[in-house]
Amino acid sequence: MSDLYQRIETAAITDDFEEIYEIVDATDRPEFVKMLQKLSKKADDHSTMKMAMNILKEKRLTVDQEKSIMILSAYCLGAMIRVENALPYTFKALRVDRSSVEYDDIEGYNTSGETVSMTTSSIDQAVSIAKLQFLVNHIIETIAANSVSTKRDCYYMLKNQFQKYPWMDIAGQSESDRLIDTLERIIRKQRENLNVIADPKGLIYGDITIIDEEGKKFRCIPREQSITGLAGQWEIRSHNVKAIIPIEKTGVFMDLKKLKVADELGIGLIHLGGQPARGCRALIKLLSEKDIPIGVLTDFSPWSGMIAKSVISGSINAAHLTGLHAHKAAFIGIESSDVNTWLKDVWKSVQEPLSKNDQQRAQNNLSLPYMQDDYWKNENSWFVKNGKKTELEALGTAAGSPLKKKEFYKKYLRSKLKEKLGVIV
């Protein structure tokens, strides 16, 4: 056997799957495929190893996809080696909660490296690992078929499979989702790299040319394009925009497009649709890496501040993943200073009282790691003190008339982009 196999075998014999991860993470695709070819000579065509080998040989994959499949395959190999030697095996998933993550203004949230172990020497944990194995087989088959699975697909597949085994069951969609999250924390890669996606959410508009995960080219004008769960696998081929504005709400997104504000200012738009999906956040990260300035525009509320910060700084729940935040992005509004400037004449009309949940959110925001700078402390303190909020639609009201919206939007965005990002449009 190859040197790579021998190193994986040695790590597996000592039940050191952390070492297996490090070995594979430092291995290139051709070397790994060569090892799988030797292992697959006597394997069934539908075995996990053989399907993984074919995927790595034939599919157009991003680097993260390659590594995800390689790590998954190596863990399966390590488990097989342990079983062949009549030994239990242990998987370690990164622990991801508020007490086990660290925050940095540039890196965003990261895990401390603390792990939670799952071992087949425990009956209850062995059942969970067996369920994970069913999930892994389904995922490899999905990728081999050039298909995708939603979380709901995975739930129905597991539910159907477990009917054949009386000692296994699944406690609804929530358990299926936890298995997917656990697998993600074991391999430390986004589930989207394994074609496990959420429903598409988000739109992009502007003079931007993209190559999608299948190698197909498309432009985001003259019509907006949907942002899929696989957007992190896209390539930004070219662009002619001075900035990108991710926008929380549909109305303002469509206004800026239909009124040709975006076209005349030479900017691109992204519709977040509330809390942005991971595909949307991954695409914003890709755009930021092309040195396109990003300015986030949301409602003026404690919850919307979290939406903006998820784009800029990431989130605790995704601390074990990379590529989901754009640290160079800026929040451009609506902000507390707008109350006495841009919204001054209409504030009494557009303000709304904070609900109890809003008030609690503002209070909790004051202790969140990514809101400890002076700016965000001031914003959340404003909510606590004043007990008011408003929405993006307030900008249209401040314009005075639908006939005046276009010029108001242009004036507002010009001012904000210059102030927050130094961009002249």
Side-chain angles (χ1 to χ4, degrees):
M1 280 293 177
S2 67
D3 175 65
L4 175 59
Y5 175 84
Q6 290 174 348
R7 285 186 288 142
I8 291 174
E9 182 182 43
T10 299
I13 291 297
T14 58
D15 203 18
D16 191 349
F17 280 77
E18 295 288 295
E19 177 63 17
I20 292 177
Y21 181 93
E22 296 298 330
I23 290 169
V24 176
D25 200 42
T27 301
D28 62 24
R29 179 172 172 172
E31 183 181 2
F32 195 83
V33 169
K34 187 176 180 181
M35 179 193 72
L36 289 182
Q37 285 175 321
K38 292 181 179 179
L39 291 172
S40 300
K41 286 181 179 178
K42 297 181 180 180
D44 181 87
D45 285 344
H46 299 294
S47 71
T48 300
M49 290 299 170
K50 196 150 195 175
M51 285 190 291
M53 178 196 72
N54 290 334
I55 291 166
L56 290 167
K57 280 178 64 179
E58 300 169 6
K59 299 290 184 184
R60 180 185 185 273
L61 303 171
T62 66
V63 173
D64 281 343
Q65 283 180 292
E66 286 180 11
K67 289 299 180 185
S68 298
I69 295 165
M70 288 163 61
I71 291 166
L72 204 60
S73 304
Y75 274 26
C76 289
L77 176 58
M80 288 169 53
I81 292 169
R82 296 286 295 179
V83 170
E84 287 171 357
N85 286 275
L87 296 168
Y89 55 92
T90 304
F91 288 155
K92 291 183 178 180
L94 286 171
R95 184 178 173 188
V96 181
D97 56 34
R98 189 162 176 179
S99 66
S100 63
V101 302
E102 302 166 345
Y103 177 73
D104 177 85
D105 286 339
I106 294 177
E107 298 298 326
Y109 283 108
N110 283 292
T111 61
S112 62
E114 187 177 346
T115 59
V116 178
S117 296
M118 301 171 62
T119 175
T120 55
S121 61
S122 161
I123 294 176
D124 289 342
Q125 292 178 16
V127 171
S128 294
I129 290 177
K131 291 177 180 180
L132 278 173
Q133 186 61 59
F134 279 107
L135 178 61
V136 168
N137 290 343
H138 172 72
I139 286 171
I140 293 297
E141 288 179 355
T142 297
I143 300 172
N146 200 33
S147 182
V148 296
S149 284
T150 63
K151 285 187 171 184
R152 196 67 173 170
D153 287 328
C154 293
Y155 166 59
Y156 281 131
M157 180 280 301
L158 291 173
K159 188 177 179 182
N160 181 60
Q161 288 288 337
F162 296 166
Q163 288 182 352
K164 304 171 187 177
Y165 303 93
W167 51 277
M168 296 177 77
D169 61 10
I170 187 161
Q173 177 80 53
S174 59
E175 184 183 4
S176 175
D177 288 352
R178 283 196 299 273
L179 288 169
I180 294 169
D181 292 342
T182 298
L183 181 62
E184 195 175 57
R185 290 186 290 111
I186 288 171
I187 67 170
R188 295 135 199 231
K189 302 289 183 184
Q190 295 176 35
R191 56 179 162 77
E192 288 83 358
N193 291 318
L194 299 171
N195 286 14
V196 179
I197 62 172
D199 289 334
K201 182 182 177 184
L203 300 167
I204 180 170
Y205 174 80
D207 192 357
I208 304 162
T209 301
I210 290 172
I211 307 294
D212 71 10
E213 72 279 359
E214 295 182 346
K216 297 176 181 177
K217 184 165 70 171
F218 65 91
R219 294 184 73 199
C220 304
I221 52 171
R223 293 191 60 83
E224 64 274 15
Q225 300 288 337
S226 294
I227 299 172
T228 74
L230 300 178
Q233 300 173 22
W234 293 356
E235 174 191 344
I236 310 302
R237 177 55 60 91
S238 64
H239 69 87
N240 185 28
V241 292
K242 298 173 183 175
I244 298 280
I245 310 295
I247 304 167
E248 178 183 354
K249 304 283 277 291
T250 304
V252 173
F253 172 87
M254 293 306 298
D255 253 356
L256 296 180
K257 174 183 176 289
K258 291 180 72 66
L259 294 173
K260 298 191 179 300
V261 172
D263 295 341
E264 292 179 17
L265 294 183
I267 61 175
L269 308 172
I270 286 179
H271 177 228
L272 299 175
Q275 184 64 40
R278 297 200 313 192
C280 195
R281 287 162 56 189
L283 179 58
I284 293 170
K285 169 70 171 178
L286 292 176
L287 292 162
S288 180
E289 288 177 339
K290 290 293 184 180
D291 293 324
I292 304 173
I294 309 289
V296 186
L297 186 63
T298 71
D299 287 344
F300 179 52
S301 80
W303 297 99
S304 294
M306 292 187 69
I307 288 173
K309 287 300 285 182
S310 71
V311 172
I312 300 167
S313 303
S315 63
I316 291 174
N317 289 340
H320 57 300
L321 304 172
T322 59
L324 292 178
H325 76 280
H327 75 270
K328 291 187 288 185
F331 177 62
I332 65 173
I334 296 174
E335 57 186 341
S336 60
S337 62
D338 292 345
V339 170
N340 294 319
T341 52
W342 297 97
L343 302 178
K344 181 179 180 180
D345 294 338
V346 296
W347 180 243
K348 288 184 179 180
S349 302
V350 300
Q351 65 177 266
E352 298 284 344
L354 294 183
S355 68
K356 288 185 179 179
N357 283 341
D358 294 333
Q359 292 169 0
Q360 187 62 52
R361 182 70 268 159
Q363 196 66 54
N364 290 345
N365 282 356
L366 289 168
S367 64
L368 287 176
Y370 65 9
M371 288 189 172
Q372 292 307 298
D373 59 89
D374 290 342
Y375 177 83
W376 286 104
K377 281 186 176 180
N378 288 337
E379 291 297 291
N380 286 301
S381 294
W382 190 97
F383 291 123
V384 171
K385 178 182 177 182
N386 294 280
K388 303 294 181 181
K389 64 181 179 180
T390 195
E391 300 175 70
L392 279 169
E393 287 81 357
L395 296 176
T397 303
S401 161
L403 299 174
K404 298 178 181 179
K405 269 187 177 183
K406 180 175 181 178
E407 288 309 311
F408 185 89
Y409 284 143
K410 289 172 73 172
K411 187 176 179 181
Y412 183 82
L413 291 177
R414 280 193 175 113
S415 175
K416 292 290 186 175
L417 288 172
K418 182 179 179 180
E419 175 193 354
K420 303 287 187 174
L421 290 163
V423 174
I424 307 297
V425 295

